Amino acid sequence: MRALLRSVAGFLIVVMAFSAAAARKIFLLPRFSDGQSFRYQIETQSTTKGNTTSPIINPEGASSATQGASLIVRFDVLDVASAAAGTFPRTRLRVTYEQSRATSQSD
């Protein structure tokens, strides 16, 4: 009986903690400032394998291929306009591809 009572009490405490946390809203927004610059590096790679079914035999046909891309993108903050209470500020960004590279390989 005591174990059941402890379990129910523990469950109620956990539920109350989650409901209290849900009442607070969390906004994950960046805070930009004029003149700020930042970069993102984007990497992607895709590999495919397969067989071609055809009445014509082609020994030179590829059965697998790999393609990759690498990008570096720079963001410059040009202007951050102040916003009224409860609204989001207007931000002007300049986006520049600083570097890009693509690779392709097949058998």
Side-chain angles (χ1 to χ4, degrees), residues 3-81:
L4 178 63
L5 186 58
R6 284 183 189 164
S7 297
V8 170
F11 177 74
L12 289 176
I13 290 172
V14 170
V15 168
M16 290 185 343
F18 278 120
S19 64
R24 292 179 285 170
K25 291 184 180 179
I26 299 173
F27 294 100
L28 300 175
L29 298 173
R31 295 179 189 241
F32 297 117
S33 59
D34 292 344
Q36 182 182 14
S37 290
F38 53 96
R39 290 173 174 81
Y40 283 107
Q41 181 172 353
I42 303 166
E43 300 277 340
T44 181
Q45 184 170 338
S46 174
T47 303
T48 60
K49 294 185 180 194
N51 293 333
T52 303
T53 304
S54 171
I56 301 170
I57 298 174
N58 183 3
E60 295 180 7
S63 62
S64 68
T66 301
Q67 294 181 333
S70 174
L71 304 167
I72 296 179
V73 182
R74 185 183 75 221
F75 291 84
D76 298 317
V77 180
L78 302 177
D79 181 39
V80 179

